[in-house]
Amino acid sequence: MAKLLSASLMCADLLNLREAVSQLEKAGIDLLHMDIMDGCFVPNITLGFDLINAVKSITDIPLDVHMMVNDPGRFIDYLKLDKNDYICIHYESDNHAQRTLAKIRDKGIRAGVALNPQTPVNALEYLTDYIDMALVMTVSPGFAGQKLFAGAERKVRQTREFLNSSGNENILIEVDGNISPENGAKLSRCGADVFVLGTSSLFVKDKDMKQAAQAFRAVL
Ligand code: DX5
Ligand code: ZN
């Protein structure tokens, strides 16, 4: 499976977002990772629906929306996305994850389910018919600049084994949090397909984004 780079927009220069998107296009980035937080499910608030829809209107790079909010089903209709975009919801924040995932797909958008570090892989078991992507959080969500959690490699390996052995080899595994080139290389070998690039790789002061993206691809 092709390996995909998803740039985390919350780490970009928020006062120059149009320029950041244009640089990411030139750098050949595959997806734009957009973090929505509600200050309840996670202790932070980041990008909102209007901003995400505005970014969607200026680029052809598909969006990869990561909803870290309680009851995400309430908000799906606010996002104006299409068949190449993803919406990931958290298993832990939705008592009716199956229904919300089905709703995302009914709207013609790709669906994903995210697992916090301590959530076991078998949480995916009855959701595989409803998802295109499994987002394995490699840090506890909420903030950029954290450290990979101790079980990250084992969890990605287990997730890939679980998906392959249940006939779901097409479901992508995304990893999010402290994805440096070193951690990306390790997690790629464990079976990760989509890499969220934030402050650990792409958005580093004085670093050229195109070169950083090329260097990251080279280690996968
Ligand atoms: C939260 C975010 C962060 C962040 C990743 O879901 O997606 O994890 O942007 O970047 P770093 O490399 O700072 O962990
Ligand atoms: Zn994220």
Side-chain angles (χ1 to χ4, degrees), residues 31 39 45 64 70 88 107 110 147 164 173:
L31 293 165
I45 292 183
D64 164 29
N70 284 333
C88 285
K107 292 176 75 75
R110 293 174 171 162
K147 264 193 107 49
N164 289 0
I173 296 178

Side-chain angles (χ1 to χ4, degrees), residues 8 10-11 33 35 37 66 68 137 139 141-146 176-179 196-201:
S8 180
M10 71 175 259
C11 302
H33 187 85
D35 287 307
M37 303 185 188
H66 178 194
M68 285 158 278
M137 288 308 302
V139 300
F143 303 97
Q146 305 181 85
D176 183 9
N178 193 205
I179 306 302
V196 178
L197 305 186
T199 64
S200 309
S201 55

Side-chain angles (χ1 to χ4, degrees), residues 3-7 21-31 61 202 209-210 213-214 217:
K3 305 277 177 177
L4 303 175
L5 306 188
S6 189
V21 171
S22 137
Q23 280 186 35
L24 292 166
E25 286 170 346
K26 288 182 194 126
I29 290 296
D30 304 297
L31 293 165
I61 305 181
L202 200 56
M209 274 200 229
K210 193 170 182 176
Q214 276 169 355
R217 264 190 219 283

Side-chain angles (χ1 to χ4, degrees), residues 47-57 78-79:
L47 314 177
F49 305 111
D50 289 349
L51 183 79
I52 290 171
N53 292 334
V55 170
K56 174 73 189 162
S57 74
Y78 293 127
L79 289 163

Side-chain angles (χ1 to χ4, degrees), residues 48-124:
F49 305 111
D50 289 349
L51 183 79
I52 290 171
N53 292 334
V55 170
K56 174 73 189 162
S57 74
I58 61 159
T59 184
D60 290 331
I61 305 181
L63 303 194
D64 164 29
V65 176
H66 178 194
M67 300 190 78
M68 285 158 278
V69 304
N70 284 333
D71 293 330
R74 294 177 292 158
F75 300 115
I76 303 305
D77 290 335
Y78 293 127
L79 289 163
K80 307 294 172 218
L81 303 179
D82 64 34
K83 62 179 182 0
N84 296 317
D85 302 313
Y86 292 85
I87 299 178
C88 285
I89 60 157
H90 267 264
Y91 172 81
E92 305 84 2
S93 75
D94 194 339
N95 288 332
H96 306 289
Q98 179 277 330
R99 182 162 55 211
T100 307
L101 293 164
K103 178 175 177 175
I104 295 169
R105 278 203 168 164
D106 283 348
K107 292 176 75 75
I109 301 165
R110 293 174 171 162
V113 68
L115 303 183
N116 279 338
Q118 72 276 17
T119 302
V121 172
N122 66 15
L124 297 172

Side-chain angles (χ1 to χ4, degrees), residues 105-192:
R105 278 203 168 164
D106 283 348
K107 292 176 75 75
I109 301 165
R110 293 174 171 162
V113 68
L115 303 183
N116 279 338
Q118 72 276 17
T119 302
V121 172
N122 66 15
L124 297 172
E125 186 167 357
Y126 294 99
L127 296 176
T128 50
D129 289 331
Y130 299 93
I131 60 172
D132 303 283
M133 180 143 87
L135 169 47
V136 175
M137 288 308 302
T138 43
V139 300
S140 287
F143 303 97
Q146 305 181 85
K147 264 193 107 49
L148 200 78
F149 91 97
E153 282 182 79
R154 187 157 66 89
K155 186 154 182 194
V156 172
R157 216 178 299 120
Q158 240 181 41
T159 307
R160 182 40 73 207
E161 275 162 21
F162 168 73
L163 291 174
N164 289 0
S165 66
S166 56
N168 293 295
E169 14 328 72
N170 292 336
I171 295 179
L172 300 175
I173 296 178
E174 178 172 41
V175 286
D176 183 9
N178 193 205
I179 306 302
S180 61
E182 296 71 26
N183 290 337
K186 282 193 284 194
L187 296 169
S188 176
R189 287 194 291 273
C190 296

